[in-house]
Amino acid sequence: MIQADANLIRQALDEADIVPLTMSLVQITGDRSWLDRIAPHIRGAWDYMQSVPDALAAEIRQALAAEIEKGGEARLANPDQDTLQHMLGVAVGAQVSAEYIPLIIEQIGFQPSAKMPQETRQAAPRSDISAIIIGAGASGVCASIRFRQAGIPHVIFEKNEDVGGTWFENRYPGCAVDTPNHFYQYSFEPNNDWPNYYSRRESINDYIGAVARKHDVRAAVRFRTEVVSARYDEQRAMWQVQVRTNQGLETHEANILVTAVGQLNRPAIPPIPGLEDFRGTHIHTAAWHDGIDIRNKRVALIGTGASAIQVGPAMVNDVAELKILQRSAPWVVRSPNIHRLVTDGKKWALKELPFYAQWYRFQLFWGFADGLFPALKIDPNWNDDNRSINAWNARLREGMVRYIERELEGRPDLIEKAVPDYPPYGKRVLADCGWYKMLRRDHVQLIDDQIERIVPEGIRLVGGEVVAVDVIVFATGFHAAKMLWPMEIAGRGGVTIRDVWGDDNPRAYLGMTARDFPNLFVLYGPNTGLGHGGSAIFLAECQVNFVTMCIDMMRSRQAREFEVRREVADAYQTTMDEELKGLVWSHPAVRSWYKNKSGRIVINQPWRLIDYWNATRAPNPDDYELS
Ligand code: NAP
C-alpha cells in the first residue's frame, strides 16, 4: 500500500495529529471501536481541543504503523452515510448534521469533485456564447478553468503582468494568509506541500500560478490590460468592454461579462487633512514596493486590522520607533501554528497516508467555518453591556480577554487599550502573529488618541500632541463597498452600476446578478464575504459553479439574454437584510467597513457556508428571465 522509509513513517506518525490519524486507522482497518475510544477526549476541531491520553495515542500510532507495514486495501474506504456522519461528529467533538455530507464529500476531497477538472482538457465550444472575465486572481483563474472545461470560449483581462490578484499585489512585510492553508486552496487542486500552516504570500501566489500553469489558464489571459468600462448593447445582447493597454484603448465584445476583481482591490487612504504637506514618505500596505525603506526610521502605522497586525510585527525589529495609531482595538487571538513550518513527517502523512489529508481538512473546515456560526447570532434576551451577544460569544470573549491579559501581563496601560469594546466577531477576528509581544517593546507606542491631521513632521492628535515620524504606513483597508469601482459599467438603458448602487450600497441576487444588468455576473460581489470564517477560494468555487450552470441554462434554451427577475432579487434582499440584523456585524457597538454609511451590511453574507453552497448548486430557472 505505502512505500516509504521506516524512519520517515515513524516520524510522520509521531508528528501527525492524532484525530486524523485515528480516522485513517478506522478507514484502513474497518475497526470502528477506535471511534468510541477517542470520542470522549475530543472537544473541538482544533488539535489543541483534544486530550487523547498518551497511552491511547501511542496505541493508535502503533496500530497504524503495523497496518502500513502489512499493506493491503483499506477496509472502510467508502463509509456509508451514517458511518461517515458519525465519524465526522467524532472528529470535531460535535453533532455534524447530515446536510453537510454532500458538501464535505465534494469540497474536502473524500471523492474527487465531478464539478471541477482533475486534469487539463479543453472541451470544444458548445455554442457561440462567449465570455469576458475581468481579473486573474483566485476567482478569475477558477472561472477560466471551469469555463474551459464547459466549452465556454473566454478571454481574461488582467491589469497586472501575472495571475494571483491580491496575492500578486500585496507585498508588505509579513503578508501571509490568515486562513488555514490546507483549507485555503482549490478543492480540486489540494496542495499537501504547503510550507506553513499559514503560508506567506509568495507561496500562495506560486500556488495560484502553478494551478494556472497546469490548466493552461495564461493562454486565455491578456496581461497588463485594464478594463476601463463596459456597456451592454441591448439590441445585440452583447457586452462591449473597453480596455486600456500600453498601446492605448481597445474595445472587445462578448455575450457574458464576469467580474472577478474582488472587494479588496482598490486601497483606501483615508482623507486625513494635511497628507500633501508631510515631509516624509507614506505608503499603503497594498502598494508596498522594494523602494520603501523603513530601516532605522520612525514609523507610524495607521490602522489595526488584518494587514496591520501582520505588517507591525514584521517591521518592528527594523525600525527606530513604531507608533501605532489605533482607532478601535481588534480581537487578536492565540494562533499556535501561525509561524510554524509544516514538518516533513506531517507533509508525508498529508501526501501518503490514506484519508489523513481529508480528515485534517475537514477539521479545519469545521473549526474555521460553520462550527462557529452560532457564536455570531444576537440573542435578543442577552444583556452584557455591548461586550458579547450570546452565551457562547461570551465564553469566547472570556478566553480572548484572558489571552490578551496573559500576553500583556504587567502592562495595565496596554491591556486597557487592547481589549476591544465590541463583541467578538463583530469584525474579522485576527490570528496573533506577534501583535501583543510587539506592543510590549520599548520602542513601540500604542496610541489611541485620534488623529486630527497630518503635519509636515508627522501626525497631530486631537489632544494636541504631534507624533513625529519619517514614514507613515497606511494599513487602512480598501474601497470595499464601492464595488467594481473605478470601472464604469452601464447596463440596460445606459443605467450604470453607480446609478443603482451609489457609492456604498451594492446589491445583487446571491451576490452575483443584478436587475438591469443582463448577462453580468459579479464574483465576490455584494454580501458574499464570509464573516465567520471559511475561505475566499471556497466562495469562488461556489460562484463559478453557479455562473457556469447559468450559462449552460442559456445554451440549453438557446437564450441570448439572462436576467434576474426584479421581484426575486428584491425578495432576496429583504430576507437577507433581515437575517443580517440578527448577526453580530449589525450590533450597534460595532463600527466597521462591513456597514455602509446608512448602517446596512453590504460586505458579508448572513448564511452558513452550507447554505450558500446549496444556493449555488444550480440556478432556479424560475428566478430568471431568459430570452
Ligand atoms: P481593515 O481590516 O479594514 O483595517 C483597516 C484599519 O484601518 C482598521 O483598523 C481601521 O480602523 C483603520 N482605519 C481606517 N480608516 C481610518 C482612519 N481614517 N483613521 C484611523 N484609522 C483608520 O483593512 P485591512 O487590514 O487591509 O484588511 C481588509 C481585509 O483584507 C481583511 O478583513 C481581510 O479580508 C483581507 N486581508 C486578509 C489578509 C490575510 O489573509 N492574511 C491580510 C490582510 C487583509 P477601525 O477598525 O476603527 O475601522
Side-chain angles (χ1 to χ4, degrees), residues 166-167 170 172 174-179 184 199 204 264 268-272 284-286 302-310 325-330 422 427-428 430 450-451 474-478 524 530 591-594:
T166 194
W167 297 110
N170 278 268
Y172 59 83
C175 183
V177 69
D178 63 3
T179 300
Y184 188 87
S199 298
I204 300 160
L264 306 171
I269 291 193
I272 303 171
H284 190 285
T285 42
I302 302 186
T304 52
S307 303
I309 74 125
Q310 294 183 331
L325 284 300
Q326 171 177 284
R327 190 165 67 176
S328 47
Y422 56 89
K427 302 187 202 190
R428 189 179 176 88
L430 307 173
Q450 298 311 297
I451 299 171
F474 287 95
T476 42
F478 299 84
Y524 199 179
L530 301 168
R591 196 178 77 166
S592 78
W593 57 277
Y594 297 164

Side-chain angles (χ1 to χ4, degrees), residues 70-221:
K70 234 190 301 170
E73 289 298 308
R75 268 157 266 165
L76 191 58
N78 292 304
D80 60 53
Q81 288 255 130
D82 289 347
T83 308
L84 180 60
Q85 189 182 354
H86 177 53
M87 292 176 79
L88 293 168
V90 170
V92 294
Q95 284 284 338
V96 176
S97 104
E99 65 181 327
Y100 278 94
I101 289 181
L103 180 157
I104 285 161
I105 286 176
E106 181 195 292
Q107 275 286 320
I108 310 298
F110 284 100
Q111 279 166 18
S113 165
K115 301 276 180 202
M116 284 289 176
Q118 300 304 302
E119 60 191 47
T120 307
R121 64 196 157 88
Q122 181 159 19
R126 294 214 301 266
S127 76
D128 62 349
I129 289 192
S130 60
I132 287 175
I133 300 169
I134 309 176
S139 299
V141 165
C142 184
S144 178
I145 293 172
R146 186 74 202 275
F147 282 8
R148 195 180 165 97
Q149 177 201 28
I152 302 168
H154 62 279
V155 59
I156 309 183
F157 295 124
E158 166 56 58
K159 65 178 161 41
N160 297 324
E161 64 259 30
D162 203 353
V163 302
T166 194
W167 297 110
F168 178 86
E169 287 177 10
N170 278 268
R171 290 154 191 244
Y172 59 83
C175 183
V177 69
D178 63 3
T179 300
N181 233 167
H182 296 86
F183 176 35
Y184 188 87
Q185 57 181 358
Y186 298 108
S187 67
F188 57 97
E189 289 296 351
N191 177 12
N192 293 321
D193 257 326
W194 288 113
N196 300 76
Y197 294 93
Y198 300 85
S199 298
R200 299 181 64 83
R201 67 154 287 272
E202 294 83 353
S203 302
I204 300 160
N205 197 44
D206 288 351
Y207 166 77
I208 297 173
V211 171
R213 191 169 315 111
K214 177 173 169 190
H215 294 278
D216 203 15
V217 170
R218 287 183 180 84
V221 188

Side-chain angles (χ1 to χ4, degrees), residues 316 322-324 438-446:
V316 70
L322 183 57
K323 310 283 186 188
I324 294 163
M438 173 203 71
L439 292 182
R440 301 182 71 108
R441 303 279 297 269
D442 288 342
H443 66 306
V444 176
Q445 191 186 357
L446 179 61

